[in-house]
Amino acid sequence: MTGGEARRTPHAVVQGRFLREVSAVQRDARGGLITRVKFGADATVRVVADTGSATLPITADRAEIAAAVFPGGPPPGRGEAEGFPVTSPPRAVHAEILHDLGLHADALSGYLGGGVVYDEVRTDGRTATVVTARDGHGRTVDLELPLVSGDPVVGTPYTLMERLHERGR
């Protein structure tokens, strides 16, 4: 393993953990929507919701995230349940996408050459979530995921890697 590979893997793991925490907050939000998660180069993350925004350390937990973007709201529960019915509201599907991205972030370090780094996850809350990521070669890709489709959202992180891999050909 080269030094570059060693640096990418923990970064993916840390980003993945943060996205799982954000997912838990979104799942338990009482009507609020996290519209943007933007990873900074300095181990911070900008989280924007329709009720507030904050720049947090990438190590923030779900209670810290919830307090920052949904002030006065109840603390999030465990938020780890997976899967929603296809007819779930777009907000619930967005939470599932965040969870999927986070859960599989570390596995992507070895998939098709790996090295994925998430730059941003954003949503309009009605029609789509867009994931912007880059690989170890600096190639970037935007992956738009519908929030109101008849098909469940599956394999999102792997689709992202496949699109990055196609750009490298």
Side-chain angles (χ1 to χ4, degrees):
M1 179 182 301
T2 68
E5 290 169 334
R7 282 192 301 271
R8 284 193 303 255
T9 302
H11 192 21
V13 172
V14 173
Q15 282 187 326
R17 186 199 147 286
F18 190 88
L19 287 171
R20 287 179 69 196
E21 295 296 288
V22 169
S23 171
V25 172
Q26 182 63 73
R27 283 178 187 277
D28 288 347
R30 306 266 193 273
L33 177 67
I34 296 172
T35 58
R36 184 176 186 214
V37 176
K38 172 93 171 126
F39 291 96
D42 59 352
T44 62
V45 185
R46 182 80 178 154
V47 181
V48 179
D50 53 10
T51 55
S53 64
T55 299
L56 301 164
I58 199 166
T59 56
D61 65 20
R62 62 190 66 175
E64 294 167 315
I65 297 165
V69 297
F70 297 130
R78 63 182 191 87
E80 293 295 327
E82 290 189 54
F84 291 100
V86 174
T87 58
S88 293
R91 193 171 47 102
V93 177
H94 178 60
E96 181 64 16
I97 291 169
L98 290 166
H99 184 266
D100 197 26
L101 290 168
L103 184 65
H104 298 288
D106 60 338
L108 296 180
S109 62
Y111 185 68
L112 296 178
V116 71
V117 176
Y118 298 127
D119 287 330
E120 181 178 45
V121 181
R122 63 191 184 280
T123 187
D124 64 7
R126 294 179 311 278
T127 61
T129 293
V130 177
V131 182
T132 302
R134 59 188 152 83
D135 67 8
H137 303 287
R139 294 181 294 251
T140 60
V141 67
D142 286 337
L143 180 61
E144 186 171 326
L145 303 155
L147 296 176
V148 289
S149 169
D151 300 320
V153 177
V154 294
T156 300
Y158 298 96
T159 301
L160 192 62
M161 283 304 295
E162 288 162 3
R163 291 207 181 150
L164 281 166
H165 184 71
E166 287 171 6
R167 287 212 169 164
R169 291 183 186 172

